[in-house]
Amino acid sequence: MEKVIIIRYSEIFLKGKNRGFFERALETNVHRALKGFDYQFIKQSGRYFVRDFDQTQTETLIEKLKKVFGVHTLSVALETASDMDSLFEAAKLLARDSGTFKVESHRGDKKYPLTSIEVSRELGGRLLAHSKGALRVDVHEPSFTVRVDIRENGVALVFTEFIEGANGMPVGTAGRGLLLISGGIDSPVAGHMMAKRGMTVDCLHFHSYPYTNAQAKEKVVQLATVLSEYACGVNLYNISVTHIQEAIHEKCKPELMITLLRRFMFRIAERHAEHIGAQCLITGESLGQVASQTIEGMTSSNSVVKKLPVLRPLVGFDKDEIIQRSVKMGAYEISILPFEDCCTVFLPDFPAIRPKLCDILREENKLDVEGLIAEAFTTMEKCKL
Ligand code: ATP
Ligand code: MG
């Protein structure tokens, strides 16, 4: 008897002629997630099987596979011969010691001598007798279910759990986006959501070293690493906006610091996105969350982006919902580490909540926008995660 992992993928992308394209992306991503482990990977009747792996590492493999978008559910199954004695041996290993249960059978091999119902009845009866009264059958609300899948060639799979997968679409099937990543809670979640829809995500972070410290930078590396496990690898680009912030601080109205900085960030991001072949910008903005995230604030930063769409997957989310997602993806504990972000450097006491475009343009005209952008690009560093 051998443990195998069953990978079932969502049926949404099975429709249409692109099926092969989505399947190949999913296969590549599974191999990426399991890199460094020994295993066999087999595709069979609309599912995948991972087998011949070190069985002491089952949990680790499952944790890795739970991060692969496009995976609907997973099961750890015992593969056994399909005769009743072998099924019973497998079922005994998986059944709990007590409680209510039922057996559900599925027959892929239509030549099998018993019907699905007969298999369930026989196996249920044997388990009941074996438990000496500790188990009871409840077909409506059992505390656990033994599932039997009788396959062709005299082989069967026996398992109890459907483990929820990451769902979504395989990364690599929906273009490339450039995520503006800060050290906060929101932007990693925004990147995760786009990766879930199949988008390849690269990250761009702006820092104000030496006003912000090396730990702040390291925090972003850690966040991008967490995202990378879902997004099948990300490139993280770091650019310094120190001189831009100093110039704004020196020449412009303090209440417009964030608005003006945002416009620099978006300009740089769009140019960089085009350079790396990204087709959109992604931010973690959520309407009304902070003073700069009003519709006026978003309009002001959007208006410097000329060609690409700016995707804001969190725009309608409450902070609570974002935090839940952050916890679930494993980023939250890193996000709440207390290191300063560049946006908190030179922060005015009263940022403009509804900045007017004419005021913004007047202040911006005091700056050498192109020169500052060109200089910022010279500070760019790249790391592959
Ligand atoms: P986050 O939790 O992502 O930091 P936030 O609620 O703190 O978001 P802001 O600081 O207003 O909101 O930032 C809004 C968005 O702008 C962020 O989600 C991110 O996409 C982008 N952004 C902010 N600061 C930076 C930065 N230092 N580098 C890159 N992008 C940034
Ligand atoms: Mg922030």
Side-chain angles (χ1 to χ4, degrees):
M1 218 176 320
E2 190 200 356
K3 261 188 199 168
V4 299
I5 297 173
I6 309 172
I7 302 176
R8 303 177 195 85
Y9 45 100
S10 151
E11 284 175 32
I12 306 169
F13 56 80
L14 291 185
K15 299 185 179 116
K17 296 187 193 111
N18 286 337
R19 177 178 172 148
F21 169 66
F22 287 105
E23 285 180 342
R24 277 191 299 281
L26 184 63
E27 288 159 21
T28 305
N29 298 347
V30 166
H31 288 306
R32 189 180 197 286
L34 301 186
K35 204 170 167 189
F37 295 93
D38 279 337
Y39 61 92
Q40 294 291 319
F41 185 67
I42 295 151
K43 184 173 159 191
Q44 222 164 46
S45 24
R47 296 180 289 187
Y48 294 105
F49 295 93
V50 178
R51 51 184 308 145
D52 299 334
F53 53 87
D54 175 353
Q55 310 225 329
T56 62
Q57 290 180 323
T58 311
E59 279 305 307
T60 315
L61 296 189
I62 290 288
E63 285 312 307
K64 301 260 175 207
L65 291 169
K66 275 164 81 174
K67 294 183 175 173
V68 178
F69 288 126
V71 172
H72 185 52
T73 59
L74 297 158
S75 295
V76 180
L78 291 174
E79 191 180 71
T80 174
S82 61
D83 61 277
M84 192 47 74
D85 288 345
S86 303
L87 294 181
F88 179 48
E89 287 308 310
K92 270 195 298 192
L93 288 174
L94 295 174
R96 296 185 196 161
D97 293 337
S98 60
T100 56
F101 80 104
K102 71 172 170 179
V103 179
E104 254 180 28
S105 307
H106 174 263
R107 222 173 37 140
D109 175 8
K110 298 299 173 203
K111 295 197 200 94
Y112 194 74
L114 303 179
T115 65
S116 305
I117 292 171
E118 286 165 348
V119 171
S120 298
R121 201 177 291 148
E122 171 70 21
L123 199 55
R126 288 194 188 197
L127 282 171
L128 264 185
H130 177 72
S131 81
K132 300 198 172 67
L135 290 176
R136 264 187 311 115
V137 171
D138 180 346
V139 291
H140 301 296
E141 273 188 80
S143 61
F144 71 96
T145 301
V146 175
R147 300 167 203 277
V148 179
D149 187 358
I150 295 173
R151 303 167 53 76
E152 277 149 25
N153 313 329
V155 172
L157 295 164
V158 185
F159 60 97
T160 50
E161 308 286 339
F162 284 106
I163 302 163
E164 181 77 10
N167 288 303
M169 310 285 272
V171 170
T173 58
R176 180 180 294 273
L178 181 61
L179 171 69
L180 282 82
I181 190 169
S182 70
I185 296 169
D186 306 330
S187 39
V189 175
H192 181 264
M193 286 181 70
M194 296 318 301
K196 184 173 183 187
R197 297 308 304 157
M199 186 169 268
T200 302
V201 178
D202 281 326
C203 297
L204 174 58
H205 175 66
F206 297 103
H207 64 88
S208 309
Y209 189 79
Y211 299 105
T212 53
N213 59 23
Q215 285 166 303
K217 231 169 150 183
E218 174 53 31
K219 179 183 178 183
V220 175
V221 171
Q222 285 184 34
L223 286 172
T225 305
V226 171
L227 177 61
S228 161
E229 288 182 26
Y230 297 93
C232 302
V234 304
N235 292 312
L236 170 63
Y237 301 90
N238 282 307
I239 291 184
S240 167
V241 286
T242 307
H243 291 161
I244 294 175
Q245 284 191 280
E246 285 172 345
I248 300 172
H249 182 62
E250 192 185 316
K251 299 194 174 137
C252 308
K253 284 188 178 166
E255 65 267 28
L256 287 179
M257 166 57 89
I258 292 181
T259 310
L260 293 169
L261 178 60
R262 276 289 140 75
R263 285 163 62 90
F264 274 98
M265 288 182 175
F266 276 66
R267 284 186 179 101
I268 294 171
E270 183 178 39
R271 289 180 205 191
H272 188 54
E274 291 198 288
H275 185 68
I276 61 170
Q279 298 149 294
C280 63
L281 303 184
I282 305 163
T283 79
E285 289 161 295
S286 148
L287 187 64
Q289 195 189 85
V290 290
S292 58
Q293 295 179 21
T294 55
I295 186 64
E296 290 84 356
M298 291 184 196
T299 306
S300 140
S301 36
N302 244 40
S303 65
V304 298
V305 181
K306 298 298 176 208
K307 295 185 198 151
L308 302 183
V310 180
L311 304 184
R312 297 177 169 86
L314 308 182
V315 74
F317 280 10
D318 292 343
K319 196 75 188 182
D320 286 355
E321 299 172 86
I322 300 172
I323 289 175
Q324 273 176 25
R325 283 172 185 261
S326 171
V327 170
K328 198 164 173 207
M329 76 179 275
Y332 186 68
E333 294 300 323
I334 306 167
S335 287
I336 57 174
L337 294 172
F339 304 121
E340 273 201 305
D341 183 48
C342 71
C343 297
T344 53
V345 177
F346 302 123
L347 196 68
D349 291 339
F350 299 103
I353 293 177
R354 301 205 159 71
K356 289 208 188 82
L357 194 59
C358 57
D359 293 337
I360 295 166
L361 293 176
R362 194 187 55 239
E363 293 302 303
E364 213 167 62
N365 275 335
K366 299 177 184 169
L367 303 169
D368 172 14
V369 173
E370 284 306 317
L372 286 165
I373 290 177
E375 198 254 356
F377 269 113
T378 66
T379 68
M380 188 163 77
E381 296 162 336
K382 174 183 177 181
C383 69
K384 243 178 145 49
L385 300 170

